[in-house]
Amino acid sequence: AGVSESAALDGRAVNIGCGVRTTILQLFNAIAELMGKAGTEPTLADPRAGDVPHSLANITAAREILGYEPIEDLHSGLGSTITALTGRQPQGTGGTGEVVSGCH
């Protein structure tokens, strides 16, 4: 960050994400597909107090202060992460027809 961004941040935390709501099940299915395990059924349990049913990063501050704009959707970002962590290309192609998440 440049000097003006650093001053504007002044210790503030900002969310970096795609800005699109993603459920835990959508996240599971995307990771399973990319790991070559499409169709794997998750083990589901009743929700517990404090469980987060979905995630939606409010990226307004990142946009306003840092000029941040997402360039990858969830699926491609997970694929990049899998490649970086494992050194191999993800298995899935995203061709399930289901929109897992996308950036605006």
Side-chain angles (χ1 to χ4, degrees):
V3 175
S4 62
E5 289 95 353
S6 296
L9 285 171
D10 194 26
R12 287 179 55 192
V14 295
N15 290 319
I16 301 296
C18 198
V20 176
R21 184 177 321 275
T22 303
T23 68
I24 299 301
L25 187 57
Q26 289 172 319
L27 181 61
F28 175 89
N29 287 332
I31 293 170
E33 179 184 344
L34 290 165
M35 296 301 294
K37 305 289 184 181
T40 302
E41 291 296 323
T43 301
L44 302 175
D46 291 333
R48 300 172 296 178
D51 278 355
V52 178
H54 56 78
S55 179
L56 173 61
N58 181 344
I59 59 174
T60 302
R63 282 183 163 138
E64 291 175 355
I65 296 169
L66 303 173
Y68 170 78
E69 285 298 326
I71 58 172
E72 286 191 297
D73 65 10
L74 176 69
H75 205 268
S76 64
L78 287 171
S80 298
T81 301
I82 289 167
T83 299
L85 294 175
T86 67
R88 59 190 172 115
Q89 291 295 315
Q91 302 272 327
T93 62
T96 62
E98 176 188 1
V99 175
V100 174
S101 183
C103 296
H104 300 313

